């Protein structure tokens, strides 16, 4: 088996189509089919067949998909590590939910990176629903954000920071200073950051609590942009309590009262369980829950609206 063959197979599995896999890999369909055929011959397994609903994978085909993704992740990680070692540096890849990445990660990562002169930290925004896959395939060394409902035995998790999500409006909004019922909140225009589109997390949980319909949700490129719209009185915005405290004190925003207007949650760090844990990942997981790190997260300036690009944004700290 070659990395090229495995990459072709993994792409077919992910997209469910040889044609789409060829387009993404920028090769011909016959080239992808050739790689699949070579794998079938070497492994003695059909791997998958065409069905009315798409591709139907054999048990061996599903096992190969999982193992191939892991092998390719190890290959990519090795390339990064060898390149970094050649420059006398180490690389730590952090996957984070958009809420954490925008509002808490900059302070944490900047402080942590200062602890080791030879460490580069790469932060990328990922959907929390992909955290386990990213770790198991070695595409990320540590993930921080909402925890999965059930943690895989190959992954170790620990709480990082308790936080409170609150609802805010501008001082001129009709609900400013008025106790609002769940029904009134449901009918408002909700101003949201990219975390609203995630599989899990505090913001999606809050939207489910109020059963906010899709046509009442406006999603912005960043949470900071959503709050800017809230200051103009254009709707209700969920926000981290510690990030909006200065604006509330200054009168630029007002908190909505009532027990239904707050949401308590916890960010967790996830790493591969021992002995597969990367030492730098284990150290960041431990450090993130310390009082000094939490203070840094709460004081962090965050990523500016212009720089934050949730689908592709990557920031390096050295």
């Amino acid at each position: 088996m070659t990395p090229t063959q495995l990459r072709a197979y993994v792409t077919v599995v992910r997209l469910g189509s040889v044609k789409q896999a060829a387009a993404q890999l920028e090769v011909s369909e016959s080239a992808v089919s050739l790689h699949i055929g070579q794998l079938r011959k070497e492994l003695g397994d059909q791997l998958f067949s065409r069905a009315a609903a798409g591709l139907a994978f054999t048990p061996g085909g599903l096992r190969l998909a999982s193992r191939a993704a892991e092998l390719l992740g190890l290959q990519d990680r090795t390339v990064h590590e060898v390149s970094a070692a050649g420059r006398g540096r180490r690389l730590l890849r952090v996957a984070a939910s958009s809420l954490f990445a925008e509002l808490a990660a900059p302070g944490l990562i900047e402080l942590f990176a200062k602890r080791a002169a030879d460490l580069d930290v790469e932060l990328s925004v990922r959907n929390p629903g992909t955290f386990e896959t990213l770790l198991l395939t070695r595409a990320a060394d540590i993930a921080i954000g909402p925890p999965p409902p059930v943690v895989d035995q190959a992954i170790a998790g620990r709480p990082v920071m308790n936080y409170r999500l609150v609802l805010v409006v501008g001082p001129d909004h009709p609900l400013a200073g008025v106790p609002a019922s769940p029904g009134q909140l449901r009918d408002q225009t909700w101003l949201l950051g990219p975390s609203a589109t995630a599989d899990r997390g505090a913001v999606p949980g809050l939207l489910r609590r109020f059963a906010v319909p899709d046509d009442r949700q406006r999603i912005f490129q960043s949470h900071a942009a959503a709050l800017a719209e809230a200051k103009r009185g254009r709707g209700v915005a969920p926000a981290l309590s510690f990030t909006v405290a200065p604006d509330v004190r200054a009168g630029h925003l007002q908190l909505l009262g009532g027990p239904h207007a707050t949401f308590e949650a916890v960010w967790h760090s996830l790493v591969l369980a021992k002995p597969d844990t990367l030492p730098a990942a284990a150290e960041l997981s431990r450090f993130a829950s310390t009082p000094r790190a939490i203070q840094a997260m709460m004081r962090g300036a965050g990523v500016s609206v212009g720089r934050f690009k949730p689908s592709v944004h990557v920031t390096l700290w050295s």
Side-chain angles (χ1 to χ4, degrees), residues 1-17:
M1 292 182 291
T2 68
T4 301
Q5 293 169 352
L6 294 177
R7 199 171 299 279
Y9 181 70
V10 166
T11 307
V12 169
V13 173
R14 180 164 52 84
L15 299 179
S17 164

Side-chain angles (χ1 to χ4, degrees), residues 60-77:
L62 293 175
R63 179 63 61 86
L64 175 62
S66 174
R67 186 65 70 188
E70 182 178 341
L71 290 171
L72 291 171
L74 283 171
Q75 181 192 31
D76 293 339
R77 177 172 165 177

Side-chain angles (χ1 to χ4, degrees), residues 49-230:
S49 59
R50 298 185 185 278
L55 300 180
F57 292 88
T58 67
L62 293 175
R63 179 63 61 86
L64 175 62
S66 174
R67 186 65 70 188
E70 182 178 341
L71 290 171
L72 291 171
L74 283 171
Q75 181 192 31
D76 293 339
R77 177 172 165 177
T78 300
V79 171
H80 280 298
E81 289 178 346
V82 170
S83 175
R87 295 180 285 110
R89 306 196 63 80
R90 296 176 293 150
L91 177 65
L92 176 65
R93 296 166 300 167
V94 181
S97 63
S98 61
L99 191 67
F100 180 85
E102 182 180 351
L103 301 173
L108 170 66
I109 303 302
E110 184 177 6
L111 182 62
F112 181 75
K114 291 178 180 178
R115 295 160 56 93
D118 66 334
L119 183 66
D120 290 332
V121 182
E122 177 188 279
L123 174 71
S124 60
V125 179
R126 302 299 185 105
N127 188 324
T130 68
F131 280 176
E132 292 172 294
T133 299
L134 291 169
L135 293 170
L136 293 173
T137 60
R138 274 67 171 182
D141 303 311
I142 181 172
I144 305 179
V150 179
V151 179
D152 190 291
Q153 291 185 346
I155 294 174
R158 63 189 301 165
V160 168
M161 177 180 172
N162 297 313
Y163 66 94
R164 174 177 295 174
L165 206 64
V166 296
L167 297 181
V168 295
V169 295
D172 298 326
H173 190 276
L175 292 183
V178 178
S181 68
Q184 287 177 305
L185 289 172
R186 183 183 304 112
D187 295 335
Q188 299 301 311
T189 297
W190 284 66
L191 310 171
L192 306 163
S195 60
T197 64
D199 297 332
R200 56 177 177 258
V203 174
L206 197 61
L207 295 173
R208 288 192 294 270
R209 172 192 286 183
F210 291 107
V212 180
D214 290 347
D215 61 1
R216 305 304 299 174
Q217 300 179 32
R218 293 181 60 200
I219 299 177
F220 294 83
Q221 184 187 30
S222 70
H223 301 90
L227 284 175
E229 288 294 287

